[in-house]
Structures are given as C-alpha cells and as structure tokens.
Amino acid sequence: MGIEQLFADLGSLPSIPKVAQDLIQQFDNPSSNLESIARNIEKDPVISAKILRLANSARFRGARESSSIEDAAMRLGFNTLRTLVLASAVTGAFKASASFDLKDFWLKSFQVAGICRLLAKQSGADAEIAFTCGVMHDIGELLIQTGAPQVAERINSVTKTGTTSRAALETLQLGFGYPEVGAELARRWQLPPVIQQAIAYQARPMQAPGDATQARIVAQALTVSDALESHGGANAQAQQAVDGPLFEGIDLDALFTALPAVLEADKAFAELLS
C-alpha cells in the first residue's frame, strides 16, 4: 500500500468544518480580536460546548461560571482558544477503531506540544507555531487508523502512538509511517508549509530541507516525552536519557524544572477532547 492508496481507500478526505477553517484563518490574522472570534465560534455548537466546558473547568474557572462564548473567550485567551479550535476540528474529522486509545493519543499530543513550546522559547523560535506542530505531529496516525484498520490494530497492540518506534514499525508494515501521512494530510488541508515540514521530518530532522527549526523542536519534544514515560516523570534519569547531540544548545536543567507545571496544565485539553 502507498500513501495515495491509503487516501483513495478512505473514499473522501476527512474534512475540517468550514467554521473551523474560517476560525483558524482568523487566528492567523493580526487584526483579529476576541469579540469577532467569539461570534464565529458561536456558529459551531460542538466547538462552543467544548469552549464553555474548558472555561468552567478547574484550570480556568473564576469566581463565577462562564455562560457566554464571549465571556469564555476572554477567560481562556487567544492562544488557548486557537489550540482548542484546531484540536476540536481535527478530532471531529476522524473515527478511530475501538482498539485505539483516543485519550492516550491526545495526552501524548498535548504533552509533546507543551514540550515544544518550552523548547521554542529557549531557542527563540515561534512558540505558538511550535505548540501547533506538537498538537498536529501525530495527525497521520488518525488517518492510518481510519484507512488501514487491520494493520493499525496489530500495531496498536505493541506500541504507543506518537513515537519514533511506531513510525518505524508502520514503515515496515505499510511502507510509510504516520509522519509522512500527516504531512500529506496537512498539505491537502492547506496548512502552512512550516507545519507540513515539521510533521514530515519529526523522525529525521537533520534531513529537513531549508529551516529545520520546527522539525528539530518536534524531534526533541518526542525524545523528551518518551524519556518521561520510560523513567516515570521529569526526573534526573529522564534528563540524563535525553542528553546528546540533538539537544545541543538546550538548557536541560531549565527545561526539566519547567516541565511538571506545563504538562499538568495541558492535560485539560486531552481530557476535554477524548
């Protein structure tokens, strides 16, 4: 099977709702404001419901409950809204099999995204683009689950989502892995080239053409995420496991000091979307 065949077998390309597409473009417009974004969010009842739930969650809840989208938008802020709209749109485009742990998928995606943001701040890269690349890094996995369910079922039983080892196993079984599928989907969805490239080269950032900054950040974040899982958290053993050439120029002490609070905060998104 080739990637083209995978997309062909789907029958139709998973689509992001028009309202969500408009919102994503609106977030990228420097002249946008929260009031106008809130008015567009109100057009999509699914996204609206998730935003109200998040605004009233333990992480964001204030002295009173948010009952309007505009109030919730003000409480959550621009970047949180952008992330939730993007992730909600992606979630709604796919139906995974019963053997696929969607909660674990989003926990991993947001963990990688949170680490990406920290790494970007250290390196001077755009932190919000890095976060988006992290959220989207494993999007090809959802397509594989939908378009090649029998192979996906076998792989689900032996490895977790969003890891370089899974990408290698999928390549052995299918001839391609979730990074290549995700990059092709991002291209067909007309997402920015920087996101396409970060997804495509996350397992081989040194081979990325041109500016490989975001691909390198995703690769670093995946390595850290795998170390956290292997060593039971952001401890000395996990930090020692990632120390190597890929992290040249990164202050690992500062990174691992900041990790616990960031990872705990981003769990709210995963809980909401699973």
Side-chain angles (χ1 to χ4, degrees):
M1 175 185 284
I3 288 180
E4 290 295 330
Q5 186 61 50
L6 176 69
F7 279 87
D9 287 350
L10 290 171
S12 62
L13 184 69
S15 60
I16 295 178
K18 180 65 165 60
V19 171
Q21 288 181 335
D22 291 344
L23 281 165
I24 291 167
Q25 292 178 357
Q26 194 173 6
F27 281 118
D28 290 334
N29 186 340
S31 65
S32 294
N33 57 62
L34 282 174
E35 184 180 357
S36 64
I37 288 170
R39 285 199 299 269
N40 275 339
I41 287 172
E42 289 171 345
K43 298 175 183 177
D44 189 305
V46 175
I47 295 176
S48 294
K50 288 179 178 178
I51 283 170
L52 284 171
R53 280 175 58 199
L54 186 62
N56 290 310
S57 68
R59 178 182 172 189
F60 292 100
R61 189 183 178 103
R64 59 180 178 79
E65 187 173 87
S66 285
S67 57
S68 72
I69 295 300
E70 187 171 351
D71 183 58
M74 294 294 292
R75 182 175 293 180
L76 296 175
F78 193 88
N79 290 331
T80 300
L81 276 178
R82 185 179 191 276
T83 299
L84 187 55
V85 166
L86 178 63
S88 293
V90 169
T91 304
F94 297 92
K95 291 182 180 179
S97 68
S99 71
F100 186 69
D101 190 335
L102 196 59
K103 181 178 180 179
D104 186 65
F105 171 87
W106 283 117
L107 282 171
K108 178 75 171 184
S109 295
F110 280 103
Q111 182 182 84
V112 170
I115 300 168
C116 281
R117 182 185 275 148
L118 288 176
L119 288 163
K121 288 178 178 177
Q122 275 206 30
S123 64
D126 188 305
E128 293 314 312
I129 290 177
F131 188 88
T132 301
C133 289
V135 171
M136 298 293 287
H137 85 278
D138 199 16
I139 190 61
E141 188 56 53
L142 290 179
L143 199 67
I144 290 173
Q145 295 291 323
T146 305
Q150 292 182 332
V151 175
E153 291 252 2
R154 293 198 298 270
I155 297 174
N156 291 345
S157 66
V158 295
T159 185
K160 288 184 172 289
T161 66
T163 62
T164 51
S165 60
R166 187 179 183 98
L169 188 55
E170 286 172 346
T171 301
L172 284 173
Q173 295 281 336
L174 294 167
F176 51 81
Y178 72 84
E180 293 89 349
V181 177
E184 176 61 17
L185 182 59
R187 185 187 70 79
R188 295 187 185 206
W189 275 351
Q190 298 183 323
L191 296 181
V194 64
I195 297 176
Q196 297 178 34
Q197 188 182 76
I199 295 171
Y201 290 95
Q202 59 184 283
R204 45 193 178 102
M206 303 309 179
Q207 297 176 26
D211 183 6
T213 301
Q214 293 293 348
R216 182 182 176 92
I217 286 172
V218 175
Q220 291 169 332
L222 279 168
T223 303
V224 172
S225 179
D226 288 348
L228 295 177
E229 184 175 342
S230 297
H231 297 280
N235 50 41
Q237 291 79 13
Q239 181 172 335
Q240 187 175 6
V242 304
D243 192 11
L246 180 62
F247 290 86
E248 185 177 345
I250 296 296
D251 184 340
L252 289 176
D253 289 334
L255 176 67
F256 273 76
T257 297
L259 274 175
V262 168
L263 298 180
E264 185 62 33
D266 285 326
K267 280 184 181 179
F269 289 115
E271 294 291 341
L272 193 64
L273 294 164
S274 57

